[in-house]
Amino acid sequence: MSAMTSPSSIKRVRFTPDVKDADDVPSAPSVLPKTPRHAAVPMGTYGYPPSPPLSDSASLASDVDCFLHQLLLCRQGGFNIVFDVRVKPSKAYIPTAEGTALPLTEYFNVPATQPLQRRIQLISRYTGWRIVVENPNGVTIGDILYRIRDSMNKIASKEEFNSVPEDAQAEILKAYQRNCSATSKGVKLRDLQEGLKRVDWLGKRTLFAGIQKDEAYISRRIRSHSERAETYVVEFSPSSR
């Protein structure tokens, strides 16, 4: 074991018992990949048209194509939503061209897709976990952001940490120390005593960068054809803190 992941350093990190959640998968990827480069993505596109307004009689999706709300789409060179997954979604905002910030809370009840979907599954290039978002009335933007935050801030188990190679463990421990030192308006985001969390697997990439339908990547990760239709890739970008 390398110096970065010596037994003494691991003993100072608290783990939860090795219990599986409904959205868990056996292991994380074997390496921490570099931040992906996105193709040019004008706002309101990415193979999808801007989401039209929903009528009171909007139906739930079945075997039809679904379009993501434009606020959730990936955007080259910027963000449609500024949301650090280490903090509550209520602090997220929409950046404007004038440099101001619009509160996102008024969009929390807006449907995430058109037509509505009761269930959406999210996967990431940086972790092996799946994030399942469910709402019997149709998944909303708020549902997605809160589920991402809740899932990524779960305390990791020792089994999950041991499932990645030593070089990745070293990067996770660096992120753990960095995240426990980060502050927001002078308040620490987290305490060392809370232990390793799934967000530490993201390294410096703690900013939500949007959701996209990467069919090739989804096909490699999801074996079930029926699950692929409800699966999207959530992207993350580096944070400055």
Side-chain angles (χ1 to χ4, degrees):
M1 182 171 289
S2 65
M4 289 298 302
T5 56
S6 63
S8 60
S9 66
I10 295 177
K11 286 180 181 178
R12 291 196 293 270
V13 180
R14 188 170 74 89
F15 295 95
T16 56
D18 297 332
V19 177
K20 296 293 184 183
D21 292 326
D23 58 347
D24 283 345
V25 293
S27 63
S30 58
V31 294
L32 294 177
K34 296 180 180 179
T35 302
R37 296 178 61 185
H38 301 301
V41 186
M43 187 172 183
T45 63
Y46 202 90
Y48 309 113
S51 299
L54 290 169
S55 65
D56 293 336
S57 59
S59 61
L60 289 157
S62 53
D63 295 328
V64 299
D65 291 334
C66 280
F67 304 113
L68 287 166
H69 191 283
Q70 61 184 26
L71 284 176
L72 296 172
L73 298 178
C74 298
R75 178 182 175 189
Q76 186 177 21
F79 301 93
N80 293 328
I81 294 173
V82 177
F83 168 46
D84 190 317
V85 300
R86 296 172 297 181
V87 302
K88 295 179 180 179
S90 58
K91 297 182 180 296
Y93 62 90
I94 302 170
T96 69
E98 294 76 25
T100 58
L102 300 177
L104 186 65
T105 50
E106 62 184 272
Y107 290 89
F108 279 178
N109 291 325
V110 173
T113 64
Q114 172 74 272
L116 306 181
Q117 284 185 276
R118 290 190 178 97
R119 174 186 166 101
I120 286 176
Q121 180 170 251
L122 302 175
I123 59 175
S124 168
R125 305 174 198 277
Y126 311 114
T127 76
W129 295 293
R130 304 178 190 181
I131 302 174
V132 177
V133 190
E134 295 181 311
N135 185 331
N137 298 315
V139 172
T140 66
I141 291 176
D143 291 333
I144 287 179
L145 299 186
Y146 272 97
R147 192 68 187 92
I148 290 173
R149 200 265 179 180
D150 291 345
S151 179
M152 297 312 300
N153 283 275
K154 286 184 178 180
I155 297 176
S157 70
K158 185 179 295 184
E159 179 186 41
E160 290 167 337
F161 182 73
N162 290 336
S163 69
V164 298
E166 291 186 12
D167 58 342
Q169 289 180 2
E171 293 302 314
I172 291 169
L173 289 175
K174 287 180 183 177
Y176 162 66
Q177 295 286 341
R178 184 168 53 249
N179 289 333
C180 290
S181 300
T183 61
S184 176
K185 297 182 179 179
V187 179
K188 288 185 66 175
L189 298 180
R190 182 170 140 203
D191 191 86
L192 286 168
Q193 298 300 319
E194 296 179 35
L196 280 180
K197 293 186 176 182
R198 293 179 174 183
V199 69
D200 299 324
W201 267 245
L202 298 178
K204 294 182 178 180
R205 307 175 192 89
T206 61
L207 290 179
F208 172 78
I211 296 171
Q212 61 174 310
K213 196 73 171 177
D214 186 334
E215 299 288 2
Y217 182 71
I218 292 171
S219 296
R220 292 198 298 271
R221 282 281 303 271
I222 307 298
R223 294 183 179 180
S224 169
H225 289 277
S226 60
E227 283 189 48
R228 291 176 185 173
E230 66 183 23
T231 302
Y232 299 83
V233 180
V234 56
E235 303 288 2
F236 299 98
S237 290
S239 170
S240 60
R241 60 181 181 183

